[in-house]
């Protein structure tokens, strides 16, 4: 058992059951939340090995070892939800490959495999990926709903549940409930792990288990045990005891987690900034040194071009007429510059004009103007979403609203980052393009991060980015309008 004050309480246990002669289940808990400036959350994993005499316990242990090793070496959390999803799925696929490799080198392990479910808690976000029928439940007593698994089993009978042919209870006791459609280590087909995420609230419980638990106990029976016991360790023990009492026909593994508190948005943002700075410090240092050199060179160049300033006693106070003449001359010069700027902007707006210093200056101004306008729109949407979440009574389990909120924040960060780069006369970075590509995919907007542009046509790439961000903002706005109506109806 391990306990982190102010965040999570958890306990995990495994039992051989009443029928099997050895335990093929494995589990691992990896607490990476202790670092102040680089907290990487807490990881929970259950793996249910299969293969009997063909070393199912080896397969489940390999899967857990791969995940533990990769997380212990992880330096920073992936920067978007999509990248977190990709990271978790790739972990299971890597475990799949290592199981196959081990089996090829050890003939006695031929045919072994394992299911797996991983739950990664980062601040108030739960990220879950799985392959097979090991499950993740999320429950809170005061919400007063019937316990259901958060994950969908990759099994024949659960497909029948999803299609309406069977109820969950009928599937549990069905004679074909042991037919699993996806397994790590399968030589028949490459597994396709599933993923989901949700926002956690204080008081919620997370339950990970092998089918040795939910195969013996109905969801209603599991819920009754969760509601009847307060202590994490005691609840875990009761769940295993009751599964054994119901027959214990399989190995039983349980990880039980209580969310004691969640970090607020400001803390998450602060931690995210610190993590980003830590991972990007060589780039930041190099850029800072480059800027210092440029500033010093500019000062030295201006100093060499400037004429010596006359001594105080040699200065002559201009007459009123001279002062008025100078002011008129300055006004005239300003008007001429303004006229030139207008002409430059007008020329820049003509199709096919893509070169010249004046045009690039006008293009930069227009690009910044467009980004600023989008930035204002995003800030308004973020405020509206914040108010919607605060006034919503049923938003804790609304993944659509959470996804919209994440898309808003990611787009807002992208715009602010690009404004900063443009102000520094830096081109659109590959990181900006990759981030926009990820955001665009999440809201179903087309954007080609690898699109090629004419080197003399920098405006076209900037306009392409602005047009894509505009489409993303409009799409998010439509989603937000729909969700607002749904929340109003639910409330």
């Amino acid at each position: 058992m391990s306990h982190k004050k102010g965040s999570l309480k958890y306990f995990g246990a495994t039992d051989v059951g009443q029928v099997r002669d050895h335990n093929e289940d494995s589990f691992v808990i990896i607490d990476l939340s202790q670092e102040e400036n680089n907290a990487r959350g807490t990881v929970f994993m259950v793996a249910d090995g299969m293969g009997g005499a063909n070393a199912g316990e080896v397969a489940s242990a390999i899967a857990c070892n791969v995940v533990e090793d990769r997380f212990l070496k992880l330096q920073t959390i992936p920067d978007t939800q999509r990248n977190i999803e990709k990271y978790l799925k790739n972990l299971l696929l890597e475990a799949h490959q290592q199981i196959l490799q081990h089996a090829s080198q050890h003939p006695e392990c031929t045919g072994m495999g394992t299911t797996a479910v991983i739950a990664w808690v980062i601040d108030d976000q739960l990220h879950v990926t799985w392959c097979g029928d090991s499950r993740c439940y999320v429950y809170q007593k005061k919400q007063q709903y019937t316990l259901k698994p958060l994950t969908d089993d990759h099994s024949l009978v659960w497909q029948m549940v999803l299609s309406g042919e069977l109820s969950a209870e009928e599937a549990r006791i069905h004679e074909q409930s042991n037919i699993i459609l996806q397994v790590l280590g399968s030589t028949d087909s490459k597994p396709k792990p599933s993923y989901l995420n949700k926002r956690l609230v204080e008081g919620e419980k997370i339950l990970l288990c092998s089918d040795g638990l939910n195969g013996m106990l109905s969801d209603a029976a599991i819920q009754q045990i969760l509601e009847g016991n307060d202590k994490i360790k005691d609840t875990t023990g009761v769940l295993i005891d009751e599964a054994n009492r119901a027959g214990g026909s399989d190995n039983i593994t349980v990880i039980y987690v209580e969310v004691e508190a969640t970090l607020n948005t400001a803390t998450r943002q602060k931690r995210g900034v610190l993590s980003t700075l830590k991972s990007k410090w060589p780039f930041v240092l190099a850029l800072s040194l480059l800027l210092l050199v440029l500033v010093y060179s500019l000062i030295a160049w201006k100093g060499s071009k400037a004429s010596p300033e006359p001594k105080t006693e040699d200065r002559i106070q201009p007459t009123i007429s001279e002062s008025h003449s100078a002011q008129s001359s300055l006004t005239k010069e300003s008007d001429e510059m303004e006229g030139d700027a207008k002409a430059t902007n007008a020329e820049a707006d003509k199709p096919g004009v893509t070169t010249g210093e004046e045009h690039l200056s006008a293009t930069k101004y227009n690009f910044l103007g467009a980004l600023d306008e989008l930035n204002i729109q995003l800030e308004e949407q973020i405020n509206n979403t914040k108010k919607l979440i605060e006034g919503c009574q049923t938003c804790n389990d609304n993944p659509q609203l959470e996804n919209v909120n994440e898309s808003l924040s990611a787009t807002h960060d992208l715009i602010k980052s690009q404004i900063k780069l443009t102000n520094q006369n830096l081109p659109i970075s590959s990181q900006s393009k990759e981030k926009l590509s990820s955001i665009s995919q999440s809201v179903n907007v087309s954007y080609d991060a690898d699109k090629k542009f004419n080197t003399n046509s920098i405006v076209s790439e900037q306009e392409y980015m602005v047009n894509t961000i505009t489409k993303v903002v409009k799409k998010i706005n439509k989603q937000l309008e729909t969700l607002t109506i749904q929340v109003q109806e639910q409330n």
Side-chain angles (χ1 to χ4, degrees), residues 40 122 126 157 173 203 205 215-216 287 294 308 312 326 386 468:
R40 291 162 288 162
I122 309 171
L126 170 65
V157 293
I173 59 177
K205 311 293 196 302
M216 293 291 98
L287 182 60
L294 289 174
T312 304
K386 183 179 179 182
T468 305

Side-chain angles (χ1 to χ4, degrees), residues 465-480:
M465 169 174 270
V466 167
N467 290 339
T468 305
I469 296 175
T470 301
K471 291 178 184 177
V472 169
V473 171
K474 287 181 178 178
K475 199 73 174 284
I476 295 173
N477 195 43
K478 287 183 179 179
Q479 293 176 353
L480 187 56

Side-chain angles (χ1 to χ4, degrees), residues 48 133-135 177 180 209-216 250-251:
D48 182 356
D133 63 349
S134 291
R135 288 183 174 181
S177 61
I180 312 302
C209 64
S210 62
D211 69 331
L213 177 71
N214 57 271
M216 293 291 98
D250 200 353
N251 309 139

Side-chain angles (χ1 to χ4, degrees), residues 43-232:
V43 183
F44 308 93
M45 178 179 180
V46 167
D48 182 356
M50 56 193 70
N54 293 339
E57 66 272 20
V58 175
S60 65
I62 289 174
C64 286
N65 289 340
V66 167
V67 171
E68 183 174 23
D69 178 67
R70 294 299 176 265
F71 267 107
L72 290 176
K73 293 177 180 177
L74 180 67
Q75 295 300 311
T76 57
I77 297 171
D79 58 351
T80 65
Q81 179 186 319
R82 185 170 293 276
N83 286 338
I84 289 175
E85 175 183 353
K86 188 183 299 184
Y87 176 78
L88 289 173
K89 286 182 176 179
N90 285 341
L91 282 182
L92 292 187
L93 293 176
E94 182 180 349
H96 167 69
Q97 291 298 329
Q98 290 209 21
I99 292 169
L100 289 176
Q101 182 179 352
H102 186 90
S104 68
Q105 297 170 352
H106 301 82
E108 68 276 12
C109 294
T110 301
M112 69 177 177
T114 185
T115 68
V117 57
I118 301 173
W120 188 7
V121 180
I122 309 171
D123 298 332
D124 65 352
Q125 294 293 314
L126 170 65
H127 302 270
V128 184
T129 190
W130 72 98
C131 185
D133 63 349
S134 291
R135 288 183 174 181
C136 176
Y137 293 85
V138 175
Y139 183 72
Q140 187 171 26
K141 182 176 179 180
K142 66 181 182 181
Q143 290 175 340
Q144 297 179 343
Y145 62 79
T146 303
L147 181 70
K148 294 180 181 179
L150 186 67
T151 52
D152 288 320
D153 298 346
H154 297 146
S155 67
L156 178 63
V157 293
W158 200 254
Q159 290 299 312
M160 297 168 74
V161 171
L162 295 176
S163 65
E165 299 175 54
L166 295 176
S167 68
E169 182 58 20
E170 289 171 338
R172 185 179 72 84
I173 59 177
H174 199 279
E175 60 182 6
Q176 293 182 310
S177 61
N178 64 329
I179 300 178
I180 312 302
L181 302 180
Q182 291 199 44
V183 177
L184 303 183
S186 170
T187 55
D188 296 329
S189 60
K190 183 179 178 180
K192 297 179 180 178
S194 296
Y195 165 88
L196 57 81
N197 83 300
K198 78 177 295 292
R199 185 169 67 90
L200 295 169
V201 298
E202 187 174 327
E204 281 188 317
K205 311 293 196 302
I206 304 168
L207 174 66
L208 270 65
C209 64
S210 62
D211 69 331
L213 177 71
N214 57 271
M216 293 291 98
L217 302 177
S218 66
D219 291 344
I222 294 174
Q223 178 177 344
Q224 188 174 5
I225 294 171
L226 299 185
E227 293 179 345
N229 296 270
D230 293 328
K231 294 183 178 179
I232 296 293

Side-chain angles (χ1 to χ4, degrees), residues 387-396 398 401 483-491:
K387 292 177 183 177
L388 184 63
I389 293 174
E390 290 174 350
C392 179
Q393 301 170 5
T394 58
C395 290
N396 292 337
N398 192 331
L401 188 56
L483 288 169
T484 301
I485 295 171
Q486 291 178 0
V487 169
Q488 289 172 346
E489 290 176 349
Q490 291 171 359
N491 287 345

Side-chain angles (χ1 to χ4, degrees), residues 250-306:
D250 200 353
N251 309 139
I252 310 156
T253 300
V254 176
I255 297 178
Y256 192 43
V257 184
E258 179 180 349
V259 181
E260 288 191 304
T262 58
L263 294 180
N264 59 33
T265 303
T267 304
R268 289 200 309 274
Q269 290 175 343
K270 178 180 177 183
R271 183 174 288 174
V273 169
L274 290 171
S275 177
T276 301
L277 288 175
K278 186 173 182 180
S279 64
K280 304 291 184 183
W281 72 264
F283 173 76
V284 174
L285 179 60
L287 182 60
S288 300
L289 291 173
L290 178 61
L291 288 174
L292 283 173
V293 171
L294 289 174
V295 170
Y296 178 79
S297 300
L298 182 61
I299 293 172
W301 178 78
K302 283 189 174 181
S304 65
K305 299 289 287 183

Side-chain angles (χ1 to χ4, degrees), residues 376-436:
I376 293 171
Q377 292 181 39
L378 261 294
E379 288 176 350
E380 183 178 352
Q381 285 183 330
I382 288 171
N383 289 332
N384 290 338
T385 306
K386 183 179 179 182
K387 292 177 183 177
L388 184 63
I389 293 174
E390 290 174 350
C392 179
Q393 301 170 5
T394 58
C395 290
N396 292 337
D397 298 301
N398 192 331
Q400 287 181 303
L401 188 56
E402 294 169 13
N403 290 338
V404 167
N405 196 26
E406 180 177 348
S407 297
L408 282 170
S409 299
T411 309
H412 193 224
D413 290 343
L414 169 65
I415 291 173
K416 290 192 293 184
S417 174
Q418 190 55 53
I419 288 174
K420 186 174 181 180
L421 290 174
T422 309
N423 275 322
Q424 295 172 354
N425 293 317
L426 297 174
I428 296 172
S429 67
S430 58
Q431 290 90 344
S432 292
K433 289 187 280 190
E434 289 172 6
K435 196 163 193 174
L436 180 54

